[in-house]
Amino acid sequence: MSTSFNFNNLSLGYVMDMCKKTSNGVRWKESTTIFEYYRLLNSCDILKEFTNNNIDLMPTYDFTIHERGKIREVKAHHIVDRTKLKVVTQMRLIPITKPYIFRKNSASQVGKGTLFAIQECKKDMLSACRNFNGKFYVVTYDFSNFFGSLDHEIILNLLHKYGFGDDDFYIMKKYLDLYNNDECAGVGVGIGGEPSQQIAIIYPEQLDRSLKYSNNVYRSGRYMDDGYCICPTKEDALKTLALIESVSHDLKLTLNYKHTHIYNMSNGDVVPFLKKRFSIDTNRNNRIVVRLCKKNIQRERRRINEQQTQFYTSKMTIDEIVQSFMSWRSYIIEFDSYKTLCEISNLLSKYFSLDFNMLMNVKCGMNDILDQYVNRNNFYFK
């Protein structure tokens, strides 16, 4: 049964709280400072638009970023529009679509980040190892230009299926119309909008359902546009790949065959998923090993070399270097990368005269490492 937006009970306090959450992390911007200075007046204007069901969205700011060699087209919204979209997403889009999202569909959800997806993938592979004695196949898939390929008609049909009424489409159509242009009419959503993240999660719902109830798939999972399927035999893996290609064609999505492969785990293949490498350690009772990708390790080495140059030119202090290492160490200890941690700790010990054992000890905090550094070098610093 479809229902409509009901913002008559929307309170001013809730809108002000959304304004505060929208400003988190971007308070260094001038536009955010001005927006927060007039937060009460802006909240009243936003509440009035919702009450009158006459929501106006301004054109987006379009710019290009280079993210580690990958070009991304970003369409950013004004902070006032981001607040309106946050209200719509939190009050309507998330509550309605959440029951239809499979448990292993992570990304842009509370408690379902990259670490959750990696742990679930590790559990699935471990279960397959025990049931199939380490002889199984893994199919990984990825979509090219995922956000730029989402079809507006399919999105609106999905929202209608989930229970959106006619008045709801007024806001969603207005949001989708912001991304219409002469080159790609009716296709694509921007990365910068919060509703886009929720739409991207539910868009391949047909693919998730097909894989979950397929007899050829043992376990499956997806993180936004990256997914994996565990199959008992090679024939099942080939049928699963054909199913993914068929459903992707129906959804008007294009597979990126550079990252779409079938891996034979019994041959010792290493499965890449979310910048991690999954493999089976046959010497340790078929234990699933998760390590960092080589590019992540190389990037950390380059960072330390750059920090060494900045340290001796007085552009960085030792406490900033230690803090950077502590953040990276808290991330790497979640995976099976002990040798990598030893290597990076050895570099820090060599370049900055830090204690190697304290760098390796997870129980040692930043102050402990800095105190040891001061005692070793016999001087004090701020």
Side-chain angles (χ1 to χ4, degrees):
M1 179 180 179
S2 63
T3 55
S4 302
F5 276 111
N6 183 11
F7 292 112
N8 294 328
N9 297 326
L10 184 63
S11 65
L12 180 62
Y14 183 83
V15 177
M16 293 187 67
D17 185 51
M18 291 295 104
C19 292
K20 184 178 179 180
K21 291 181 178 180
T22 306
S23 304
N24 289 339
V26 289
R27 287 190 170 87
W28 51 271
K29 293 184 178 180
E30 181 182 1
S31 59
T32 307
T33 305
I34 298 173
F35 174 76
E36 283 216 306
Y37 187 80
Y38 297 101
R39 187 169 67 176
L40 179 60
L41 295 177
N42 290 326
S43 299
C44 291
D45 293 339
I46 294 172
L47 180 62
K48 185 177 179 181
E49 289 188 21
F50 276 106
T51 304
N52 297 333
N53 199 19
N54 186 22
I55 299 173
D56 188 25
L57 299 176
M58 291 180 283
T60 59
Y61 298 104
D62 301 344
F63 57 92
T64 304
I65 62 173
H66 298 266
E67 186 180 19
R68 296 172 182 171
K70 189 172 183 179
I71 299 176
R72 295 186 183 275
E73 300 292 338
V74 180
K75 297 180 180 292
H77 296 272
H78 191 272
I79 188 168
V80 177
D81 290 349
R82 292 205 303 271
T83 305
K84 299 174 186 177
L85 295 175
K86 180 174 279 294
V87 173
V88 173
T89 305
Q90 296 296 326
M91 287 195 67
R92 187 62 175 171
L93 198 56
I94 291 180
I96 278 191
T97 58
K98 189 175 181 179
Y100 299 94
I101 299 175
F102 289 96
R103 178 181 174 274
K104 293 183 182 179
N105 291 358
S106 47
S108 300
Q109 301 175 68
V110 178
K112 288 189 176 183
T114 55
L115 185 59
F116 171 83
I118 292 170
Q119 290 174 347
E120 290 298 317
C121 182
K122 183 178 180 180
K123 291 178 183 177
D124 292 343
M125 288 190 181
L126 182 60
S127 176
C129 256
R130 292 171 178 172
N131 288 325
F132 306 121
N133 197 22
K135 299 179 180 180
F136 61 94
Y137 291 79
V138 178
V139 181
T140 60
Y141 61 91
D142 180 44
F143 298 112
S144 298
N145 190 22
F146 181 59
F147 281 86
S149 303
L150 304 185
D151 187 80
H152 294 179
E153 184 178 356
I154 297 178
I155 294 173
L156 294 176
N157 290 336
L158 270 176
L159 296 179
H160 181 73
K161 172 185 172 182
Y162 292 154
F164 272 57
D166 295 336
D167 294 338
D168 307 344
F169 282 94
Y170 166 77
I171 299 176
M172 297 310 301
K173 284 182 178 178
K174 205 158 193 176
Y175 175 73
L176 296 176
D177 288 342
L178 293 175
Y179 305 109
N180 280 329
N181 52 53
D182 297 335
E183 297 179 359
C184 50
V187 178
V189 296
I191 299 177
E194 185 171 352
S196 300
Q197 304 294 324
Q198 195 68 18
I199 289 171
I201 296 173
I202 65 173
Y203 187 85
E205 174 260 350
Q206 181 182 350
L207 177 61
D208 299 331
R209 189 174 62 253
S210 300
L211 293 175
K212 183 177 178 63
Y213 298 110
S214 173
N215 295 328
N216 302 316
V217 179
Y218 176 69
R219 298 281 177 85
S220 64
R222 180 172 61 86
Y223 184 90
M224 199 60 78
D225 61 331
D226 297 320
Y228 67 90
C229 303
I230 299 176
C231 304
T233 63
K234 186 175 181 179
E235 294 181 359
D236 293 333
L238 292 173
K239 291 179 181 179
T240 300
L241 182 58
L243 175 64
I244 294 173
E245 291 175 341
S246 176
V247 178
S248 300
H249 182 266
D250 295 338
L251 295 174
K252 300 181 181 180
L253 295 175
T254 304
L255 282 174
N256 182 3
Y257 287 97
K258 184 179 178 181
H259 302 289
T260 303
H261 297 286
I262 297 176
Y263 298 92
N264 186 359
M265 301 303 291
S266 61
N267 289 344
D269 290 352
V270 178
V271 179
F273 180 64
L274 297 181
K275 310 296 183 183
K276 303 297 177 292
R277 296 178 297 164
F278 294 79
S279 60
I280 299 177
D281 191 351
T282 56
N283 296 327
R284 301 174 64 180
N285 297 326
N286 288 343
R287 179 174 176 266
I288 300 298
V289 179
V290 184
R291 294 190 176 96
L292 298 181
C293 286
K294 293 182 179 179
K295 289 185 178 180
N296 292 341
I297 302 172
Q298 294 171 355
R299 190 182 303 116
E300 186 61 25
R301 290 201 202 100
R302 289 195 298 267
R303 182 184 293 114
I304 292 178
N305 291 332
E306 181 65 24
Q307 288 175 351
Q308 182 192 19
T309 304
Q310 294 186 0
F311 175 72
Y312 287 110
T313 56
S314 301
K315 293 182 179 179
M316 282 191 74
T317 60
I318 189 63
D319 52 343
E320 292 174 337
I321 295 172
V322 173
Q323 186 177 19
S324 174
F325 170 76
M326 296 287 289
S327 300
W328 180 81
R329 188 183 71 176
S330 62
Y331 170 73
I332 195 177
I333 59 176
E334 299 290 342
F335 312 108
D336 305 299
S337 299
Y338 180 79
K339 292 183 179 179
T340 303
L341 181 59
C342 289
E343 179 187 350
I344 300 301
S345 299
N346 191 32
L347 282 177
L348 285 172
S349 178
K350 177 182 177 181
Y351 291 164
F352 307 108
S353 300
L354 295 170
D355 188 85
F356 174 80
N357 294 325
M358 298 190 73
L359 293 174
M360 290 293 299
N361 190 357
V362 181
K363 296 182 180 179
C364 291
M366 178 177 174
N367 293 333
D368 299 329
I369 298 174
L370 292 176
D371 290 343
Q372 180 68 22
Y373 176 82
V374 171
N375 295 332
R376 175 176 292 187
N377 292 276
N378 295 321
F379 71 92
Y380 295 90
F381 59 92
K382 293 184 180 179

